[in-house]
Each structure stands twice: as structure tokens, then as C-alpha cells.
Amino acid sequence: MRRQIPDVVVSRLPMYLRVLALLKAEGIDFISSRGLGSRLKMTPAQIRKDLCYFGKFGRQGRGYNVGRLFSELKQILGLDKQWSMALVGVGRLGRAIMDYKGFIPEGFKLVAAFEKDRNLIGKKIGGVVIEDFAVLGKSVKEKNVDIAIVAVPSSEAQNVIDMLAQSGIKAILNYAPICARVPRGVRLQGIDPVVALQSMTFYLTRV
Amino acid sequence: MRRQIPDVVVSRLPMYLRVLALLKAEGIDFISSRGLGSRLKMTPAQIRKDLCYFGKFGRQGRGYNVGRLFSELKQILGLDKQWSMALVGVGRLGRAIMDYKGFIPEGFKLVAAFEKDRNLIGKKIGGVVIEDFAVLGKSVKEKNVDIAIVAVPSSEAQNVIDMLAQSGIKAILNYAPICARVPRGVRLQGIDPVVALQSMTFYLTRV
């Protein structure tokens, strides 16, 4: 039986994965919790505490096996399969998201896009035909969409998120700068540049 | 004298701020570390540990003073002033960033934008005139830019980041899906939707 893993630990795992991918690329086979900590700007104790949720990876004196830890964390995060995504809102931001080259190599594939604007419906971008927002519920089910990306104006975002949740979508990535609500059992992540800016200003005030 | 504050603690402060703003809006004056923890999905012990870096906020039995904690964290993060930002790259993503309504209310103001595309140089969007990328170094100094946002294609991003660092910019928000490097003393934050997706798939595999 798995222990309950705190959200804050889960939220750090993608960063672990990123550092491990770099280590692999550098040909490093083993790394200590100190070495990982220095790359992740975390204490070795925190690293050990985080990773102990997932079983015994490290070996006294030798450190973590980079390749094995990478594969196991990938599996734990569910990244050993491909995930299907739907985009809602094909304005400037939506188009930029459709152009984004970072999804496919990581196993995320855009399979559907929805828009209200009649001039865009039916157009094909990067292999995806833009569909009428009105068919969203039916289409995400037919296409077995796992994750939805919301790129509509703030004023419409909560409505869209409600519709996605009603359509059975369990994970939503929200680009609108609102504090959105989701029903129990639905995961919501916001892409918020302000949060990223706010932790840099801390250091700017100390230069 | 301030204690050295771990980066991971700093990176959590904007989330504290967000929750405190909500509490203020709800008219809640005091909150326990348990209450904060439940909203932030963190343990009360972690909350207390994080906040103790910044002095005594809590009071035994009564909890944290929401308004005071909010103001102090805002000041600690350097958010009691306005920050000037420059955008590099005015393609689809760059235009979406220029349209983004979330910056101004949080004290971040776009004061400059740079592009290589001759068709865009000289155009005015939301009060900002797009400048030739060639004058970047000179212009960011004249305009006292604090933070740069990089929204150029991946292939150009590292070059642009190098130029920004050479121009004296100390904080860079990077939208390109690359693992960029910066010289010592320069802060870099990536906006990476994949990281946000990767922590949701953890939960999707457990539905």
C-alpha cells in the first residue's frame, strides 16, 4: 500500500525529473542527495525525505542511481504514456499554445481545439481541426481527452472550466488570470507569470 | 541581520500572498497555521517553519494576523513598488503577453518591447512602441527596465538571454522551452506548462 504523498512533494517531482534528465545527458550514473540538493537548491535532508515516499532509491555511500530514479519517477508521475489534450480558446494565446514545441517530446499531444469564433471553426492548425465550442462536451468524450487547456478571456474562464468538469475532464491547465474553482476530484493548475515574477522581485530588492 | 532564506521558501511566498489576499477578501482577520496549511495543502509545521524566517507573525492561540502578514510578505517580496518590464519577441506569444491583464494589478508594468521583424517595429500596442531588437541594450538601460520577458523561438532564446544579462538585466522570465543558462547574479524563471502538466498526470494515474 502506498503512503499518502503530500501535494507539495508531488509538485516538486517534475523538477527532480528535469535535473535527472540533465544528469543522464551528462553521463552521470550516480548522484548523492547533496549533489541533487545543490542542483535543485534544496537541502540533502529534504531530498531524502521527498524520495523516501517512493521507496528505496539510494544506496549508502554511492547515492542514487540516476537512470533508475529517472525511470521510476517518470512512471510515478504517469509520464510513461501519452496524454491527450484539448485546447479551449484559439485566440493569440491559444495559437501560441498550438505552436508550442515543448509538449510532444514530453508525451502531451493536442488532439482537439475549441473556439466560439465562427471564422476560426473548421480551420486546421498543426493537424488539429478547430471545432465549435458548442460540441465540446461530446467531442472531448469521443476523443478520450485527458487534460484540457483553458486559454479564453478571464471573463469566460470559470464557465469554460465548469463545462470541462461537467464533461468529465479531470485535469485542467488554466492560463486565465483568475482564481478558478473546480469540483472535488478535478485537478486545476494555473499558468501564472505573476507568481514567477513575484519570486524574482524578492531577489531584485536584495541586489 | 537577516538569515539566509532558502530559495524553496521564497518560491512559496507568492502562494502565501495569494491565499492571504483571498482571506482578506473574505473578511477573515486571523488564521491558524492549520488553516493556512489546509488552504495551501501544506502541513502546519511547514507553514510555521517557512514564516519563522521572516520574524514573529503568529500569536499563540490566535493565529496569524492576515492583514499584517499580507503586508509584510508583500514588502519582503518587494511588491510594495512598481516593476518595469521589457518584452523580447512580439510574435503570437509576445502579443498575448502584451494583452495579459494580470500584470498591472500586481505592480508589473510593460515599458518596452523588442522585435526583429521590420513589419512590427514602430507599431504601438497597449501604449508600448515596439522597438528594433538592435537597440535593446541601450533602451533597457534608458528605461530602467528591471525584468525582461523572453518570448522568442527556442533557437534564439539563449542568445537573447545572454544579451539581456550583458545589458544589466537581473531578472528574466523565459517562455521558451529550453534549459537556459544565466551568469551568476541573474535570476531566471521559466514559464513551463509541461511542469504544470506533469504534476497533474500524477493524480490522473490514480483516479
Side-chain angles (χ1 to χ4, degrees), chain A residues 7 18 92 99 192 203, chain B residues 7 18 92 99 192 201 203:
Chain A
D7 286 0
R18 211 141 276 224
R92 278 195 198 104
D99 288 342
D192 191 340
Y203 299 100
Chain B
D7 285 0
R18 211 141 277 225
R92 276 197 198 102
D99 287 342
D192 191 339
T201 54
Y203 299 100

Side-chain angles (χ1 to χ4, degrees), chain B residues 74-90:
Chain B
K74 228 175 145 161
Q75 204 197 328
I76 286 163
L77 281 170
L79 298 172
D80 47 353
K81 61 158 275 187
Q82 184 169 276
W83 297 93
S84 296
M85 305 194 298
L87 171 71
V88 188
V90 192

Side-chain angles (χ1 to χ4, degrees), chain A residues 86 111-114 129 131-132 134-145 167:
Chain A
V111 298
F114 302 93
V129 177
E131 296 171 75
D132 189 340
V135 303
L136 182 139
K138 194 164 157 274
S139 182
V140 296
K141 276 180 198 126
E142 279 171 8
K143 293 187 169 144
N144 290 312
V145 169
S167 310

